[in-house]
Amino acid sequence: MIELENRLNKLEEKIKQPNFRKNKGLGNEVGYYVFDYPAEYELLVRERIEYLASKYENDNHDFRIVVFDLYDIIIDNLIREGFLDICMDFEKAKGFSEITKAVNEMLRMEEDNQSNEILAHIRNNTPSNSIVFLKGVGKCFPMLRSHKILNNLHQFIDDVPVIMFFPGKYDGQSLMLFSEIKDDNYYRAFKLVD
């Protein structure tokens, strides 16, 4: 836990640096980052995310942190479309794998990126002077895969840094959710802190 606390402190130091907020990586790539952590410390990471978001929301700073919980976005979409109760009944009748497919269709996860509900929500609610924090990855599994969000989000947001908080391991090439489930290869994000 002390190691994670130290990494979270390094994260805060990093996001305060003006060069970080210019959002350009070593090869002038869009600044996408993964902060991986052991899943058993999910509550600690959530607390730190909320602390940082509130700390940098006032006018004393030249940036703010906007936090998007991917699970909450999915649930909000289901409620707005009137599908939440239908989904519960559908899952009872057809099973979890079928409801996962149905929710992915509703969110347009497999279609072109311009109609993707989650990505559009993030884009429409991200001011220019911000750092995007994405959380809730573990809560969304298997309905939403983190590599899919990262692969598609860069077409929506390329002017502010994006940090995905990932309960598992990221080695700079592949994502391993809960340190057990191989999500997929992903090469565009940098590991935020070691």
Side-chain angles (χ1 to χ4, degrees), residues 90-154:
F90 188 81
E91 181 183 2
K92 287 177 189 172
K94 301 287 184 175
F96 190 71
S97 64
E98 290 302 314
I99 193 60
T100 298
K101 290 178 198 172
V103 169
N104 268 277
E105 286 179 23
M106 192 275 303
L107 295 171
R108 298 177 185 93
M109 291 304 299
E110 303 300 330
E111 296 178 21
D112 75 27
N113 299 332
Q114 297 306 314
S115 62
N116 183 296
E117 298 284 337
I118 294 172
L119 303 179
H121 175 80
I122 294 169
R123 178 194 61 217
N124 295 337
N125 293 285
T126 300
S128 60
N129 64 334
S130 60
I131 298 172
V132 171
F133 280 11
L134 299 176
K135 68 177 190 172
V137 171
K139 294 187 290 185
C140 295
F141 180 80
M143 277 189 264
L144 182 64
R145 305 301 291 261
S146 53
H147 76 278
K148 199 172 277 192
I149 289 292
L150 291 173
N151 276 330
N152 295 323
L153 189 59
H154 73 275

Side-chain angles (χ1 to χ4, degrees), residues 18-33 158-161 190:
N19 282 345
F20 176 81
R21 295 190 313 274
K22 288 182 183 172
N23 198 38
K24 295 296 178 190
L26 295 174
N28 216 25
E29 308 93 350
V30 174
Y32 276 65
Y33 303 88
D158 64 359
D159 58 341
V160 300
F190 301 98

